Amino acid sequence: MNKFCTFKKNDKLFDSQKMFLIPDISIPQGSDPRVATCRGKLQNRRSKLNQEINKELRLRAGAENLFKATTNKKLRDTVAVELSFVNSNLQLLKEQLAELNSSVELYQSDSTDSVMPMIPLGLKETKEIDFRDPFKDFILEHYSEDANQYEDAISDFMDTRQAIRTPLRDSSGIALLFRYYNQLYFVERRFFPPDRSLGIYFEWFDSLTGVPSCQRTVAFEKACVLFNMGAVYTQIGAKQDRSTAKGLDAAVDSFLRAAGTFRYINENFTNAPSMDLGPTMLEMFVQLMLCQARECLLEKLQLQSKDNRSVDICLDLSQEAAHLSECYNDVTQLINHDTVRDFVPYSWSSLIQVKREFYTGMAHNFAASGILHEDAAKMSDATKDTLLYMHVEIDGMAQLDIRMPKDASERRLLGRAHLREALVLYEESQRQHRMCRELKGKQALTSVLRIAHKKALNAYTATETEDDFSDLLDPPQIQSATKFQLSLTPPDFAQYRVTDLFKSLGPIAIFSAKRHWTAPRLVQLHKGRTTDGFGFSLRGDAPVIVAVVEPNSLADFGGIKEGDFIVAVADKDVKWSSHDEVVTLIKNTDDSLNLKLVTPMDRNYLKPTKVPSTNKGSVSTHSSSSGISSGMSSPSGSMAQHNNIHHHHKRLNWNPFKRYSSREGKDFYENVILR
């Protein structure tokens, strides 16, 4: 057989037929664009639709500009026809995108049990960006370093951004998004100055409408990454097996994390250019996720009490279901807001209305189960108070005038009234389900509604013993209540720590895009035989700062200035070195010292002190000789040498009768003994 196959050789891939080297493509953990799952195919279709919508929007913008600019009637008529054609295409594309967003069953669990489907969010799509040239130019211009040394760091950053376009729907995908978001913290401070633009534009497509938005700010990139993080959480929550308590707990956790992420975006990012990042839309997402978390908690309560439901549990389930219905009603109000109504898929709003009616019917169904329970006649006083509290009378309605049944006959009448109301609400939820074309094909939803209606109908007919029309009156409304206090889980950025890819540029507090300093200059100092030191003191860590330059010293003649940063000693980069490490390097240079220095231009990092030579953490390399200086320092460097001209300087004296601290003794040793 002559099949195509590959094998590994020295960590490379080879083609066994053509025997050429295939590059080993590494994919960051948490992303796999090669996985052809249904969700992946759906996201690819969404991406292609976004591109087609973007193309049609550009065509429409050009046609509208031409229509406004031209005065030729024939041309205006032609453009008007073209505009109507483009608008019809746009409408069709947006309907296709809405249909994709309605494909909630692809994100649901693979369990065969009939469960109410959840609403997951699709990911925002983005285009690939080439950071190489802008970053390398900025490194050379702003940091005055060899940009080729950062080729791997730039490639790693670009690979990570490419990987977040196809995150896995699990914890590794979430970790990947967190790592990229945290890396943006460093990249924004390294390469995006507040007073200029590098020509980098972040373009993202709206997850609901497919309309592209383009921004230069990293804040927009961060908000979009967080949105996708929340969207992945919704997909993780929707795919959990909700037939088990473990799966329900995982679903609740995912929905609360999604809600916390959307709330974080709403509180920390403003003036969003896309509709899915608007404040009202984000608040709707938050409330929707909270509703779905409550729905899972209600299902867990049902699961735990499946085999033994007492009167109290039935009444608790009734009030929890009523509360869930009210929450979905609040989401419906948010969807009807002017800035949300036209952008939410119709299937979403229809499903939310179906759930609102369904859980109201469930509340009446559980109320009937508690009232018709075999132990209802032996209810405790606390249970009676609960039953009395949960029944609310509404003025103007022909309600059954029984809030607390006194005997078996009244319990039967009140229970049947609740069952009849449950049947009416279940039928209304089925009617709304049939009215939505996208929801009609959702088999799981159809099964849930049909089973609930069938159980309520069987219970209603089982209590029918005689011709009695009193149950035609509406039962009292059920007062909602909940025992679950939900707490949103905001993004935990500290859990996914990353290393700055461009750490070699120096500490980010100093060497950042918003700070300015001179070009690095080389200073060469040469001591003579009678010279005690170089004549400057240091302080601070990472980077070490020149604290004092003594007049007429080698350092003074060499062009070293107070406040200079030492970025290299000889050939060793010391931007991240501690004070002691730099001092050791300087002392080990013998008579010749080569320093690379930069001078900050926007602020002075030195604090005024009266006696700089005795400051804590400083070292004096005092020089008692003058030298030849090239005057002012230049980028090409300067050099100072000893010429045997002596100058006397005041020295520190050691008092043997004074008690010194260990730190002071070390300072005296560095300042006096080691000169």
Side-chain angles (χ1 to χ4, degrees), residues 228-264:
N228 278 0
M229 199 181 299
V232 172
Y233 275 130
T234 65
Q235 296 176 14
I236 294 175
K239 78 171 186 178
Q240 298 298 324
D241 183 7
R242 304 204 320 267
S243 62
T244 64
K246 182 179 179 181
L248 287 168
D249 289 338
V252 171
D253 179 70
S254 296
F255 288 130
L256 290 180
R257 290 182 183 276
T261 303
F262 294 134
R263 177 64 57 82
Y264 183 87

Side-chain angles (χ1 to χ4, degrees), residues 105 148 263 355 364 425 489 543 549 581 584 597 652 674:
E105 71 276 359
N148 294 324
R263 177 64 57 82
K355 289 188 175 186
H364 285 281
L425 291 167
T489 307
V549 177
E581 291 172 345
T584 302
L597 307 171
L652 295 175
L674 295 181

Side-chain angles (χ1 to χ4, degrees), residues 79-144:
V79 173
V81 173
E82 186 67 23
L83 268 175
S84 63
F85 179 74
V86 171
N87 286 331
S88 62
N89 280 346
L90 267 176
Q91 185 63 29
L92 290 174
L93 290 173
K94 289 184 177 181
E95 288 179 359
Q96 294 180 34
L97 183 62
E99 186 175 352
L100 286 182
N101 289 328
S102 303
S103 302
V104 296
E105 71 276 359
L106 294 179
Y107 298 96
Q108 309 302 316
S109 170
D110 297 331
S111 175
T112 57
D113 297 337
S114 297
V115 293
M116 182 70 73
M118 296 294 179
I119 299 179
L121 272 64
L123 302 182
K124 291 173 70 69
E125 289 288 337
T126 183
K127 290 185 177 180
E128 187 176 359
I129 301 177
D130 190 353
F131 295 95
R132 286 187 179 87
D133 290 341
F135 279 12
K136 292 173 74 173
D137 291 344
F138 193 76
I139 290 173
L140 179 61
E141 173 192 349
H142 188 74
Y143 295 96
S144 302

Side-chain angles (χ1 to χ4, degrees), residues 491-669:
D492 186 7
F493 302 109
Q495 183 180 355
Y496 304 90
R497 297 184 180 276
V498 296
T499 302
D500 183 7
L501 293 173
F502 303 92
K503 183 179 180 180
S504 299
L505 292 174
I508 201 168
I510 304 296
F511 299 98
S512 64
K514 69 177 182 178
R515 303 294 185 191
H516 297 86
W517 54 89
T518 61
R521 64 186 187 277
L522 181 64
V523 175
Q524 298 178 343
L525 304 179
H526 299 281
K527 291 191 300 184
R529 294 181 179 178
T530 60
T531 307
D532 293 335
F534 296 106
F536 64 93
S537 300
L538 305 178
R539 62 173 296 183
D541 296 299
V544 175
I545 307 174
V546 177
V548 175
V549 177
E550 297 187 1
N552 301 320
S553 64
L554 282 178
D556 187 19
F557 291 131
I560 298 179
K561 304 174 183 178
E562 295 181 358
D564 282 351
F565 293 139
I566 299 181
V567 297
V569 177
D571 295 330
K572 181 177 178 56
D573 188 287
V574 295
K575 289 193 290 289
W576 283 98
S577 299
S578 66
H579 174 270
D580 293 338
E581 291 172 345
V582 174
V583 169
T584 302
L585 288 173
I586 293 175
K587 290 179 179 178
N588 292 336
T589 56
D590 296 330
D591 296 334
S592 179
L593 176 63
N594 294 333
L595 297 177
K596 184 181 288 186
L597 307 171
V598 296
T599 303
M601 302 172 60
D602 47 7
R603 59 166 292 190
N604 184 7
Y605 291 87
L606 291 176
K607 295 181 180 180
T609 54
K610 294 182 179 180
V611 188
S613 61
T614 58
N615 278 349
K616 182 178 180 181
S618 66
V619 60
S620 173
T621 52
H622 180 275
S623 173
S624 60
S625 64
S626 62
I628 301 173
S629 173
S630 60
M632 297 301 295
S633 59
S634 63
S636 60
S638 60
M639 180 176 65
Q641 294 180 346
H642 170 69
N643 62 354
N644 294 326
I645 300 177
H646 297 279
H647 295 271
H648 298 284
H649 297 279
K650 185 178 180 180
R651 294 176 177 265
L652 295 175
N653 295 318
W654 177 261
N655 185 354
F657 301 101
K658 179 180 179 181
R659 178 175 297 178
Y660 292 88
S661 65
S662 59
R663 180 65 242 182
E664 290 172 337
K666 182 180 179 182
D667 287 343
F668 182 85
Y669 182 77

Side-chain angles (χ1 to χ4, degrees), residues 359-375:
Y359 285 111
T360 306
M362 180 182 289
H364 285 281
N365 194 9
F366 278 121
S369 299
I371 294 170
L372 298 175
H373 197 277
E374 57 184 6
D375 296 332

